[in-house]
């Protein structure tokens, strides 16, 4: 049985792998939310001149808001913009019936920010990246 590393597998192989886990999940958990029900969205913040000053990229699936990134320009930091962006994402997820939020942040990024906004630390992976840590935080969106 040959095992290979592929940097650019064919579309057929990529599709077969994805469909394989989708089928396994559906056969194991019959009422599992379908992958195509995933909602990908952005929350965008602009200034008075309509210039981008920050935003958030996220997806919602499996009853969870997955925050992929949140960025603020230097002038937008410390002015409540991040809190408004985060609240908009959480409100959007709640309105769609999602119950949890999950975010990964690193030791030089925003762990205190998320904790200030009701997120609880699930785990810390030390040494990722080397010399730093990755933090995984969650929030129950069903609580006010």
């Amino acid at each position: 049985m040959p095992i290979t590393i592929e940097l650019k597998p064919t579309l057929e192989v990529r599709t077969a792998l994805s469909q394989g886990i989708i089928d396994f999940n559906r056969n194991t958990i019959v009422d599992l939310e379908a992958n195509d029900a995933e909602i990908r969205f952005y929350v965008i913040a602009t200034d008075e001149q309509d210039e981008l000053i920050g935003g958030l990229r996220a997806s919602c699936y499996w009853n969870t808001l997955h925050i992929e990134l949140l960025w603020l320009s230097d002038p937008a930091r410390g002015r409540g913009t991040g809190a408004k962006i985060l609240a908009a994402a959480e409100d959007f997820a709640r309105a769609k019936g999602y119950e949890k939020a999950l975010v990964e942040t690193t030791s030089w990024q925003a762990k205190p920010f998320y904790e200030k906004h009701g997120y609880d630390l699930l785990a810390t992976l030390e040494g990722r990246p080397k010399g730093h840590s990755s933090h995984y935080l969650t929030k129950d969106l069903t609580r006010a």
Side-chain angles (χ1 to χ4, degrees):
M1 158 185 40
I3 305 282
T4 61
I5 301 289
E6 301 279 338
L7 297 179
K8 295 182 182 179
T10 65
L11 176 60
E12 180 181 43
V13 168
R14 293 191 318 260
T15 301
L17 288 172
S18 294
Q19 194 61 51
I21 194 65
I22 288 168
D23 293 345
F24 172 81
N25 290 342
R26 284 189 183 148
N27 290 332
T28 304
I29 309 294
V30 178
D31 61 348
L32 185 65
E33 177 184 337
N35 287 48
D36 56 6
E38 177 182 2
I39 301 169
R40 300 193 58 73
F41 70 98
Y42 293 78
V43 179
I44 307 298
T46 56
D47 64 15
E48 293 78 20
Q49 291 76 40
D50 206 31
E51 295 291 324
L52 180 68
I53 60 168
L56 177 147
R57 182 181 75 202
S59 59
C60 290
Y61 62 93
W62 289 0
N63 79 321
T64 305
L65 163 65
H66 298 261
I67 299 168
E68 298 170 0
L69 66 83
L70 192 159
W71 169 80
L72 293 173
S73 66
D74 286 339
R77 294 174 186 268
R79 299 176 177 261
T81 305
K84 290 175 185 173
I85 290 170
L86 182 60
E90 292 172 354
D91 289 346
F92 176 84
R94 274 189 208 93
K96 299 285 186 191
Y98 291 88
E99 301 165 345
K100 300 180 179 302
L102 180 66
V103 65
E104 172 189 349
T105 189
T106 54
S107 51
W108 69 89
Q109 290 177 330
K111 180 178 173 270
F113 168 81
Y114 288 108
E115 290 173 327
K116 178 180 174 181
H117 294 286
Y119 284 71
D120 297 313
L121 182 65
L122 281 174
T124 296
L125 181 56
E126 301 291 344
R128 180 181 183 270
K130 196 176 272 190
H132 302 279
S133 301
S134 290
H135 303 289
Y136 303 87
L137 299 102
T138 187
K139 182 175 181 178
D140 182 347
L141 296 179
T142 63
R143 293 185 290 175

